[in-house]
Amino acid sequence: LSRYCDFISQCGGGDPRSSSCGDGKEMSVPHHPFFYLEQEYIGYYSTLEHALYNTNLQRAIDIAKPVEIYDGIFVSSLVEDAFYLSKKTLERARSTTNDQALLTITNRICESWKDGIFDAIASGKGSSSEPLQQQQLNQEVATSNRDGEVLNSFTAAFLDALDEDMGAPETASKDKNAIGSRTPLQTPPTSLGGATSSSTSLDWHLKTCMCTLNSVASASSACLAISLMYQEIIIELCQGEEIIEENNNETINKETSAALITPGQNATTKMLDFTREEWLSHSKEYSLLLSNKVREEVTHWCGVPYHWSSSNILMDEVSSGNRLLTKMLNIDSTLLPLQKIQKSFAKQNYNIVDADGYYRVESDLVLIPRLIDPLRTCPFISQIMLQRCEQKVKVEVASQLTAIIADEIILPMIFLGVGPMNTRKLFTDWGAMLFAKQVRLLQNELCSLLHHCSEDNAEGASSNSHQIHISFPSQSSTAPILSRMERVTQVVTILQLEKPSDWTSLRYAAAEVKEDSRLTSTEIREVMILRKGFSKEAVAALCDAL
C-alpha cells in the first residue's frame, strides 16, 4: 500500500505527506482515498508490531539462561534473543517502505534497550542456572503454551508470512516454542550451574560472575551493531544522491564516507540519525555498567588495599575481611591478592647499599611469589587466564587492576609513606633498579592478560560470524594498561636518574602524555628527595626551573 501511494504521489495524484502539489499550490487534503487507508494501516501495524515485540521480549527475559557463544564463554540468552528480536523487527519495519512506521517501531525498540533489557542484564538475569527454579519455569512455560496455543499459532503464522514476503528461507524453524523463527536455545551444560549441593560454591559464583560480565559486554556490542544497521539504512535512503558540503563546496559520495553524512535532506534521515546516536549512547551506558561491575568483582575477589597509614600493612597475619570468600576458599583468614602485593611493597627495603644486597632480592624466585603468584592463584583471575570471558571484559579487568595497583598501592607508598608514622621509603641506585623491576614484572603480567586469547578469540570470531560480537583491534592493545601506569613510569624514571638535572632532557618526553597523567613540579620534588645522593639544592634548582 505504501508503494502504491508513493506511485500515486509520483504521478501527481497528491500526497498529504508533501507540502505542495505539482502546480506549486499548497495541499491540505489527499487526492486519493488510499492515503487515508495507509494511515489507518500504519496504526494497526505499529500497534501489532509493538505488542508482538514486547510479548516475545518479555518471554525472552522469562526463559533467559546461560548459552555458550564461544568455547567456554557463556552469556545470558537474553542478549542474543533481544538482539535477534530487534534486528528482525527492524527489518520488517524497513520492508514496509513507510517512513512513519519505521520511525515508530525504531523508537519503541530503542526504548526497550534503555529500560527493560538494561535492568534485566544489570540484575544478572539469565547468568545463572538453578535446577529447581528451572523446573518450575518449565512447568509455567508449558502451562502458558497450553493456555495461549491460539496466540502462539497466530504469532508464528504472522512471522512466517512476513518472512516469506521478505524472501526468508523456507527451512526456517516453525517450532511454536521458538522466539520468532529462531530455533529454541539448547539447555546449558550442567557444569555452568552445577552447584546442586550448595548455591554458595566457589565454582558457581565464578561462572555466574563471568556470565554476567560477558552479558553486559555483549549488550554493549549489540547496541553498537544495531547503530551500524541504522547507518546502513541512512546510506540506503541516500543512495544515488550527492550532497554539497557547505564549508568547502566539495561533492561527497555518501556510500564512501558514511561519517560525513549530514541527513538534513528530509525529516526521516534526521530522525534515523538521531536514533543511531541514541544506540551509540546505549552502548556507552552498557560499557559504563561493565566498568562498574568489573570494579565490584575485582575488589571482591582481589581485595581492597589498606590505607597506607594503617598498622595492618606492617603486620604479618591480617584477616582479609571478606568472610564469604574465605569461607568458600576453606581457609580461616588470608590476605587477598592486592593486599599481598601491597604488603610486599610495604616491607621491601629499597635502601640497598651494594650489589650483593640487590642480587639477594631481585631474583625471580623471590619477586614472582610475592608479586605475581597472588594474581595467578586468584580464582577470578584464573578464570580470565582460562579464556572464560570476552576480550572487552578482559581489557576492563586488566585496566581496573592496573588502576588499583598504580593509584592505591605504588603511588601512595611513594608520596604518603608507610605505617602510622608515614615513614617515607628511601631509594639508592640499587633500590631504584629493584623498584623498576617490580613495576616491570607487574606491568608485564597485566599486559599478558590481554594476549592470552587474542588469537583464539579472533579464530572463534571467524567461525561464529553470525554472532553479534564485534571485535575491536584496539582491545588487544596494551594502551589502557600503559596509560594508567604512566605516572608510575615517570616515578621509576626519576628514581633512576644519575642526577636531578638529567630530568630536563626527559621532561619533554613526559610532556607528550596527557596532562592528568603528568607529574607536577611538586610531585617531582617529592620523588627526588627520596633518592639518596640527590642534594636538596640541586632538586630545588631543578624544580624552580620547571
Side-chain angles (χ1 to χ4, degrees), residues 59-66 76-78 81 125-128 134 137:
R59 186 177 179 186
I61 295 176
D62 294 337
I63 65 174
K65 57 185 177 182
S76 172
S77 62
L78 171 59
D81 291 342
K125 183 68 175 179
S127 297
S128 63
Q134 188 66 33
L137 179 60

Side-chain angles (χ1 to χ4, degrees), residues 384-442:
I384 297 178
M385 299 179 69
L386 291 174
Q387 307 174 19
R388 295 293 185 264
C389 65
E390 291 192 11
Q391 187 71 5
K392 192 172 184 178
V393 178
K394 189 185 296 284
V395 171
E396 191 62 38
V397 171
S399 299
Q400 293 288 351
L401 280 174
T402 305
I404 295 176
I405 291 175
D407 300 335
E408 300 183 30
I409 295 181
I410 298 179
L411 292 178
M413 179 192 70
I414 297 295
F415 294 111
L416 300 180
V418 180
M421 303 300 295
N422 294 329
T423 305
R424 303 289 298 276
K425 295 282 187 179
L426 295 179
F427 295 82
T428 63
D429 51 352
W430 294 105
M433 290 175 58
L434 175 62
F435 180 65
K437 184 171 183 178
Q438 290 176 321
V439 172
R440 186 169 62 253
L441 281 175
L442 284 172

Side-chain angles (χ1 to χ4, degrees), residues 53 82-83 86-87 90 105-114 117 219-231 271-286:
Y53 175 79
F83 176 76
S86 301
K87 181 179 179 181
L90 179 60
I105 297 302
T106 54
N107 289 334
R108 302 289 175 82
I109 298 175
C110 191
E111 291 175 358
S112 67
W113 281 85
K114 182 179 179 180
I117 298 176
S220 177
S221 299
C223 291
L224 184 57
I226 295 177
S227 71
L228 296 178
M229 293 174 58
Y230 279 88
Q231 181 171 296
M271 292 300 298
L272 288 176
D273 189 65
F274 175 77
T275 306
R276 180 185 63 84
E277 293 177 354
E278 282 291 310
W279 281 105
L280 292 176
S281 176
H282 292 347
S283 179
K284 294 179 180 178
E285 290 178 0
Y286 281 103

Side-chain angles (χ1 to χ4, degrees), residues 95-395:
S95 67
T96 63
T97 69
N98 185 275
D99 296 342
Q100 184 176 352
L102 176 62
L103 294 174
T104 302
I105 297 302
T106 54
N107 289 334
R108 302 289 175 82
I109 298 175
C110 191
E111 291 175 358
S112 67
W113 281 85
K114 182 179 179 180
D115 299 325
I117 298 176
F118 185 91
D119 295 338
I121 294 177
S123 62
K125 183 68 175 179
S127 297
S128 63
S129 178
E130 298 179 356
L132 179 59
Q133 294 183 1
Q134 188 66 33
Q135 292 177 3
Q136 295 176 351
L137 179 60
N138 291 337
Q139 294 177 358
E140 294 176 0
V141 171
T143 304
S144 176
N145 287 339
R146 289 193 299 268
D147 296 340
E149 183 175 357
V150 176
L151 177 61
N152 288 336
S153 300
F154 169 75
T155 299
F158 176 74
L159 288 176
D160 288 342
L162 287 177
D163 290 340
E164 289 177 2
D165 292 340
M166 298 172 59
E170 297 180 357
T171 57
S173 172
K174 296 183 180 180
D175 194 316
K176 67 180 181 180
N177 292 326
I179 298 179
S181 59
R182 188 183 181 186
T183 56
L185 296 175
Q186 299 297 324
T187 303
T190 56
S191 60
L192 184 63
T196 56
S197 58
S198 175
S199 61
T200 59
S201 69
L202 179 63
D203 183 70
W204 184 84
H205 276 283
L206 283 171
K207 292 178 178 178
T208 300
C209 167
M210 289 291 108
C211 187
T212 300
L213 297 179
N214 291 335
S215 300
V216 178
S218 297
S220 177
S221 299
C223 291
L224 184 57
I226 295 177
S227 71
L228 296 178
M229 293 174 58
Y230 279 88
Q231 181 171 296
E232 293 176 358
I233 293 176
I234 295 174
I235 296 175
E236 183 180 350
L237 291 176
C238 301
Q239 188 175 13
E241 299 178 0
E242 292 183 347
I243 60 174
I244 305 299
E245 191 178 21
E246 296 180 357
N247 295 334
N248 51 17
N249 295 326
E250 291 181 359
T251 302
I252 302 174
N253 190 334
K254 294 184 178 182
E255 293 183 355
T256 60
S257 182
L260 296 177
I261 290 177
T262 55
Q265 305 302 309
N266 54 63
T268 301
T269 51
K270 280 185 178 180
M271 292 300 298
L272 288 176
D273 189 65
F274 175 77
T275 306
R276 180 185 63 84
E277 293 177 354
E278 282 291 310
W279 281 105
L280 292 176
S281 176
H282 292 347
S283 179
K284 294 179 180 178
E285 290 178 0
Y286 281 103
S287 297
L288 180 60
L289 175 63
L290 175 63
S291 179
N292 294 334
K293 282 191 169 294
V294 166
R295 179 74 180 195
E296 294 177 1
E297 298 299 337
V298 167
T299 55
H300 174 76
W301 295 98
C302 300
V304 179
Y306 296 107
H307 193 276
W308 278 96
S309 61
S310 174
S311 59
N312 291 334
I313 295 179
L314 302 177
M315 296 175 60
D316 293 332
E317 296 294 338
V318 185
S319 173
S320 65
N322 193 330
R323 296 182 179 180
L324 175 61
L325 186 58
T326 54
K327 182 179 179 180
M328 289 192 297
L329 294 175
N330 195 23
I331 50 181
D332 297 330
S333 63
T334 184
L335 290 176
L336 296 179
L338 293 177
Q339 296 167 344
K340 292 180 180 179
I341 294 174
Q342 183 186 31
K343 185 177 289 292
S344 177
F345 277 104
K347 290 187 174 183
Q348 183 63 58
N349 177 28
Y350 297 101
N351 190 11
I352 304 174
V353 296
D354 53 22
D356 292 338
Y358 170 75
Y359 289 125
R360 282 196 299 267
V361 294
E362 65 86 26
S363 172
D364 289 345
L365 297 177
V366 177
L367 295 180
I368 290 181
R370 295 179 180 178
L371 299 176
I372 306 304
D373 286 349
L375 292 176
R376 292 178 178 176
T377 57
C378 175
F380 179 73
I381 303 299
S382 64
Q383 289 291 311
I384 297 178
M385 299 179 69
L386 291 174
Q387 307 174 19
R388 295 293 185 264
C389 65
E390 291 192 11
Q391 187 71 5
K392 192 172 184 178
V393 178
K394 189 185 296 284
V395 171

